[in-house]
Amino acid sequence: MMPNRLLDIATVAVALLLASSSASAVELRVLSYNIHHGRGTDGEVDLARIAKVIQSAKPDLVALNEVDKGVNRSGKIDEPAELARLTGMHAAFEKNIDHDGGEYGNAILSRWPIEKIENVRLPSLYDGERRGMLMVQVEPKEGETFWFAATHLDYRPNDAERLESAEAIEKLMAGRFAKQRFVLAGDFNALPESRVIERFAKTWKIAESGHTFPAEKPTKRIDYVMMRPKPAWRVRSAKVLKAPVESDHRPVLVVLDVVD
């Protein structure tokens, strides 16, 4: 048996090592939420309760889909700005289409100041809603930046446009973002066994979570959080939050570690 003194020394050494590792690690709490422009399953548009769901998760970054800005159906509210005010976070928004007197697209909330904003238009095979990927760069720790993106892919049964969007995203990632840490979240309108998610799984680490749609009694998993490069991330936990009324989707919370 190890003498007590040596045992104590070994215990202290391990504790110091773990504390040092914990102090240097970057933990990220990422939320993906299709908010249905704030309209719940009861037909009410209520951003305050959306904000409460977001705050309950204590996220660092939030990917929001189906967001209105100045749209008649949601009272012409600037939803990204209002959600930023209600949650105390920084907001980014880019429209993908003009809609009902205003703008409609994806938004991102961030606990940290947003360094850069870009919006990528994705391929469109149909008339109607144009899809996009909103990207922001953040710096959780000095000198450690990464990109976070929100996207919302086509809903039609045929996955042709979703596959083209996946290929467009992969081409972008293989180019100037090839050496960047990247987190992508949103409503992919694709099941885990679909060709679309299989395509992403080749190069992205996908956090495993539960069913997200429809909100009242979810039977499908179509909302995801994924990361690349795969070795750069470790998933601590992933779960679907209980939010059956606030939107037609439930949000997904994923807790990540950045792996040095």
Side-chain angles (χ1 to χ4, degrees), residues 152-183:
H152 183 195
L153 303 187
D154 183 57
Y155 67 91
R156 294 169 179 83
N158 188 319
D159 60 11
E161 183 175 304
R162 287 188 294 277
L163 283 170
E164 289 214 11
S165 292
E167 292 299 337
I169 292 171
E170 289 306 296
K171 183 176 181 180
L172 183 66
M173 293 299 107
R176 65 190 182 94
F177 293 103
K179 296 182 180 180
Q180 300 287 325
R181 289 190 175 104
F182 212 105
V183 179

Short mmCIF file of all heavy atoms in Angstrom, two decimals, residues 152-183:
data_model
loop_
_atom_site.label_atom_id
_atom_site.label_comp_id
_atom_site.label_asym_id
_atom_site.label_seq_id
_atom_site.Cartn_x
_atom_site.Cartn_y
_atom_site.Cartn_z
N HIS A 152 -31.21 27.79 -41.15
CA HIS A 152 -32.55 27.20 -41.21
C HIS A 152 -32.74 26.70 -42.64
O HIS A 152 -32.87 27.49 -43.57
CB HIS A 152 -33.59 28.27 -40.86
CG HIS A 152 -34.99 27.77 -40.81
ND1 HIS A 152 -36.08 28.62 -40.83
CD2 HIS A 152 -35.51 26.51 -40.76
CE1 HIS A 152 -37.21 27.90 -40.78
NE2 HIS A 152 -36.87 26.62 -40.74
N LEU A 153 -32.74 25.39 -42.80
CA LEU A 153 -32.80 24.80 -44.14
C LEU A 153 -34.24 24.54 -44.60
O LEU A 153 -35.18 24.60 -43.80
CB LEU A 153 -31.98 23.50 -44.18
CG LEU A 153 -30.51 23.63 -43.77
CD1 LEU A 153 -29.78 22.32 -44.02
CD2 LEU A 153 -29.81 24.78 -44.50
N ASP A 154 -34.37 24.23 -45.86
CA ASP A 154 -35.68 24.05 -46.51
C ASP A 154 -36.52 22.97 -45.83
O ASP A 154 -35.98 21.98 -45.32
CB ASP A 154 -35.45 23.68 -47.98
CG ASP A 154 -36.74 23.54 -48.75
OD1 ASP A 154 -37.53 24.49 -48.78
OD2 ASP A 154 -36.97 22.45 -49.30
N TYR A 155 -37.84 23.15 -45.87
CA TYR A 155 -38.75 22.25 -45.16
C TYR A 155 -39.39 21.18 -46.05
O TYR A 155 -40.04 20.25 -45.53
CB TYR A 155 -39.89 23.07 -44.52
CG TYR A 155 -40.80 23.72 -45.54
CD1 TYR A 155 -41.94 23.06 -46.00
CD2 TYR A 155 -40.51 24.97 -46.07
CE1 TYR A 155 -42.77 23.64 -46.94
CE2 TYR A 155 -41.32 25.55 -47.02
CZ TYR A 155 -42.45 24.89 -47.45
OH TYR A 155 -43.26 25.47 -48.40
N ARG A 156 -39.27 21.26 -47.36
CA ARG A 156 -40.02 20.39 -48.26
C ARG A 156 -39.59 18.93 -48.13
O ARG A 156 -38.43 18.65 -47.79
CB ARG A 156 -39.85 20.85 -49.70
CG ARG A 156 -40.48 22.23 -49.96
CD ARG A 156 -40.07 22.78 -51.32
NE ARG A 156 -40.69 24.08 -51.58
CZ ARG A 156 -40.22 25.24 -51.14
NH1 ARG A 156 -39.10 25.27 -50.41
NH2 ARG A 156 -40.83 26.37 -51.41
N PRO A 157 -40.48 17.98 -48.40
CA PRO A 157 -40.13 16.55 -48.28
C PRO A 157 -38.92 16.15 -49.12
O PRO A 157 -38.08 15.36 -48.68
CB PRO A 157 -41.40 15.84 -48.76
CG PRO A 157 -42.51 16.80 -48.46
CD PRO A 157 -41.92 18.15 -48.72
N ASN A 158 -38.83 16.69 -50.33
CA ASN A 158 -37.67 16.42 -51.17
C ASN A 158 -36.45 17.11 -50.58
O ASN A 158 -36.47 18.32 -50.32
CB ASN A 158 -37.94 16.94 -52.59
CG ASN A 158 -36.87 16.52 -53.57
OD1 ASN A 158 -35.68 16.54 -53.26
ND2 ASN A 158 -37.27 16.14 -54.76
N ASP A 159 -35.37 16.37 -50.36
CA ASP A 159 -34.21 16.96 -49.69
C ASP A 159 -33.18 17.56 -50.65
O ASP A 159 -32.06 17.87 -50.25
CB ASP A 159 -33.53 15.94 -48.78
CG ASP A 159 -33.03 14.71 -49.53
OD1 ASP A 159 -33.01 14.73 -50.76
OD2 ASP A 159 -32.68 13.72 -48.85
N ALA A 160 -33.58 17.79 -51.90
CA ALA A 160 -32.63 18.30 -52.90
C ALA A 160 -32.03 19.64 -52.49
O ALA A 160 -30.80 19.83 -52.57
CB ALA A 160 -33.32 18.44 -54.26
N GLU A 161 -32.85 20.59 -52.05
CA GLU A 161 -32.31 21.90 -51.68
C GLU A 161 -31.47 21.80 -50.41
O GLU A 161 -30.41 22.44 -50.30
CB GLU A 161 -33.42 22.92 -51.49
CG GLU A 161 -32.86 24.31 -51.18
CD GLU A 161 -33.92 25.39 -51.11
OE1 GLU A 161 -34.66 25.56 -52.10
OE2 GLU A 161 -34.03 26.08 -50.07
N ARG A 162 -31.91 21.00 -49.45
CA ARG A 162 -31.13 20.83 -48.22
C ARG A 162 -29.75 20.26 -48.53
O ARG A 162 -28.74 20.66 -47.94
CB ARG A 162 -31.87 19.94 -47.23
CG ARG A 162 -33.06 20.62 -46.56
CD ARG A 162 -33.65 19.76 -45.46
NE ARG A 162 -34.25 18.53 -45.96
CZ ARG A 162 -35.47 18.43 -46.46
NH1 ARG A 162 -36.24 19.52 -46.57
NH2 ARG A 162 -35.95 17.28 -46.88
N LEU A 163 -29.70 19.29 -49.45
CA LEU A 163 -28.40 18.71 -49.83
C LEU A 163 -27.51 19.75 -50.50
O LEU A 163 -26.30 19.80 -50.25
CB LEU A 163 -28.62 17.51 -50.75
CG LEU A 163 -29.06 16.22 -50.06
CD1 LEU A 163 -29.49 15.18 -51.08
CD2 LEU A 163 -27.94 15.66 -49.17
N GLU A 164 -28.10 20.59 -51.36
CA GLU A 164 -27.30 21.64 -51.99
C GLU A 164 -26.80 22.64 -50.97
O GLU A 164 -25.67 23.13 -51.06
CB GLU A 164 -28.12 22.33 -53.09
CG GLU A 164 -28.36 21.49 -54.33
CD GLU A 164 -28.38 22.31 -55.61
OE1 GLU A 164 -28.01 23.51 -55.56
OE2 GLU A 164 -28.75 21.74 -56.65
N SER A 165 -27.64 22.93 -49.97
CA SER A 165 -27.21 23.83 -48.90
C SER A 165 -26.06 23.20 -48.12
O SER A 165 -25.08 23.89 -47.77
CB SER A 165 -28.38 24.12 -47.96
OG SER A 165 -29.36 24.90 -48.60
N ALA A 166 -26.17 21.92 -47.82
CA ALA A 166 -25.11 21.22 -47.10
C ALA A 166 -23.80 21.27 -47.89
O ALA A 166 -22.73 21.53 -47.31
CB ALA A 166 -25.50 19.76 -46.85
N GLU A 167 -23.87 21.06 -49.18
CA GLU A 167 -22.66 21.10 -50.01
C GLU A 167 -22.08 22.50 -50.06
O GLU A 167 -20.85 22.69 -50.05
CB GLU A 167 -22.98 20.61 -51.43
CG GLU A 167 -23.31 19.13 -51.51
CD GLU A 167 -22.17 18.23 -51.05
OE1 GLU A 167 -21.00 18.68 -51.07
OE2 GLU A 167 -22.44 17.08 -50.67
N ALA A 168 -22.95 23.53 -50.12
CA ALA A 168 -22.47 24.91 -50.14
C ALA A 168 -21.76 25.25 -48.83
O ALA A 168 -20.71 25.91 -48.83
CB ALA A 168 -23.64 25.86 -50.37
N ILE A 169 -22.31 24.79 -47.70
CA ILE A 169 -21.68 25.02 -46.40
C ILE A 169 -20.35 24.29 -46.32
O ILE A 169 -19.35 24.84 -45.85
CB ILE A 169 -22.63 24.59 -45.26
CG1 ILE A 169 -23.84 25.53 -45.21
CG2 ILE A 169 -21.90 24.59 -43.92
CD1 ILE A 169 -24.95 25.07 -44.28
N GLU A 170 -20.31 23.04 -46.80
CA GLU A 170 -19.07 22.27 -46.78
C GLU A 170 -17.98 22.93 -47.63
O GLU A 170 -16.81 22.96 -47.24
CB GLU A 170 -19.33 20.85 -47.27
CG GLU A 170 -20.12 20.00 -46.30
CD GLU A 170 -19.50 19.96 -44.93
OE1 GLU A 170 -18.37 19.44 -44.79
OE2 GLU A 170 -20.10 20.48 -43.98
N LYS A 171 -18.37 23.46 -48.77
CA LYS A 171 -17.40 24.14 -49.64
C LYS A 171 -16.82 25.36 -48.93
O LYS A 171 -15.61 25.62 -49.00
CB LYS A 171 -18.07 24.55 -50.95
CG LYS A 171 -17.12 25.19 -51.96
CD LYS A 171 -17.83 25.48 -53.27
CE LYS A 171 -16.87 26.11 -54.27
NZ LYS A 171 -17.55 26.40 -55.57
N LEU A 172 -17.68 26.10 -48.25
CA LEU A 172 -17.22 27.28 -47.50
C LEU A 172 -16.28 26.87 -46.38
O LEU A 172 -15.23 27.48 -46.16
CB LEU A 172 -18.44 28.01 -46.94
CG LEU A 172 -18.17 29.31 -46.19
CD1 LEU A 172 -17.62 30.38 -47.14
CD2 LEU A 172 -19.45 29.81 -45.52
N MET A 173 -16.63 25.80 -45.67
CA MET A 173 -15.80 25.35 -44.55
C MET A 173 -14.44 24.84 -45.03
O MET A 173 -13.43 25.00 -44.35
CB MET A 173 -16.52 24.22 -43.79
CG MET A 173 -17.77 24.64 -43.05
SD MET A 173 -17.49 25.88 -41.77
CE MET A 173 -18.22 27.33 -42.56
N ALA A 174 -14.42 24.20 -46.20
CA ALA A 174 -13.17 23.66 -46.72
C ALA A 174 -12.26 24.76 -47.27
O ALA A 174 -11.07 24.54 -47.49
CB ALA A 174 -13.46 22.65 -47.82
N GLY A 175 -12.82 25.95 -47.45
CA GLY A 175 -12.06 27.09 -47.97
C GLY A 175 -11.45 27.91 -46.85
O GLY A 175 -10.61 27.43 -46.10
N ARG A 176 -11.90 29.14 -46.71
CA ARG A 176 -11.25 30.06 -45.76
C ARG A 176 -11.51 29.72 -44.30
O ARG A 176 -10.85 30.27 -43.41
CB ARG A 176 -11.67 31.50 -46.04
CG ARG A 176 -13.11 31.83 -45.84
CD ARG A 176 -13.40 33.22 -46.39
NE ARG A 176 -14.76 33.63 -46.20
CZ ARG A 176 -15.18 34.35 -45.16
NH1 ARG A 176 -14.34 34.71 -44.22
NH2 ARG A 176 -16.44 34.71 -45.07
N PHE A 177 -12.46 28.83 -44.02
CA PHE A 177 -12.72 28.45 -42.63
C PHE A 177 -12.10 27.10 -42.26
O PHE A 177 -12.38 26.56 -41.19
CB PHE A 177 -14.23 28.40 -42.37
CG PHE A 177 -14.89 29.75 -42.43
CD1 PHE A 177 -15.63 30.12 -43.54
CD2 PHE A 177 -14.76 30.65 -41.38
CE1 PHE A 177 -16.23 31.37 -43.60
CE2 PHE A 177 -15.36 31.90 -41.44
CZ PHE A 177 -16.10 32.26 -42.56
N ALA A 178 -11.26 26.59 -43.14
CA ALA A 178 -10.71 25.24 -42.94
C ALA A 178 -9.95 25.09 -41.63
O ALA A 178 -9.96 24.02 -41.02
CB ALA A 178 -9.81 24.87 -44.11
N LYS A 179 -9.31 26.14 -41.16
CA LYS A 179 -8.51 26.05 -39.94
C LYS A 179 -9.19 26.73 -38.75
O LYS A 179 -8.57 26.94 -37.71
CB LYS A 179 -7.14 26.67 -40.17
CG LYS A 179 -6.32 25.93 -41.21
CD LYS A 179 -4.93 26.55 -41.37
CE LYS A 179 -4.12 25.78 -42.40
NZ LYS A 179 -2.76 26.38 -42.58
N GLN A 180 -10.48 27.07 -38.91
CA GLN A 180 -11.20 27.78 -37.86
C GLN A 180 -12.05 26.84 -37.02
O GLN A 180 -12.62 25.86 -37.53
CB GLN A 180 -12.14 28.82 -38.50
CG GLN A 180 -11.44 29.88 -39.33
CD GLN A 180 -10.70 30.88 -38.47
OE1 GLN A 180 -11.14 31.23 -37.38
NE2 GLN A 180 -9.57 31.36 -38.96
N ARG A 181 -12.13 27.10 -35.72
CA ARG A 181 -13.12 26.42 -34.89
C ARG A 181 -14.50 27.00 -35.24
O ARG A 181 -14.66 28.22 -35.32
CB ARG A 181 -12.83 26.64 -33.40
CG ARG A 181 -11.61 25.89 -32.90
CD ARG A 181 -11.56 25.99 -31.37
NE ARG A 181 -10.49 25.20 -30.81
CZ ARG A 181 -9.36 25.69 -30.34
NH1 ARG A 181 -9.14 26.99 -30.39
NH2 ARG A 181 -8.44 24.90 -29.82
N PHE A 182 -15.46 26.12 -35.38
CA PHE A 182 -16.76 26.56 -35.89
C PHE A 182 -17.88 25.76 -35.22
O PHE A 182 -17.78 24.54 -35.08
CB PHE A 182 -16.82 26.32 -37.41
CG PHE A 182 -17.64 27.33 -38.17
CD1 PHE A 182 -17.03 28.30 -38.93
CD2 PHE A 182 -19.03 27.29 -38.13
CE1 PHE A 182 -17.79 29.23 -39.65
CE2 PHE A 182 -19.79 28.21 -38.83
CZ PHE A 182 -19.17 29.18 -39.60
N VAL A 183 -18.93 26.46 -34.80
CA VAL A 183 -20.14 25.81 -34.27
C VAL A 183 -21.31 26.25 -35.13
O VAL A 183 -21.49 27.45 -35.41
CB VAL A 183 -20.40 26.19 -32.80
CG1 VAL A 183 -21.68 25.53 -32.29
CG2 VAL A 183 -19.22 25.79 -31.92
#
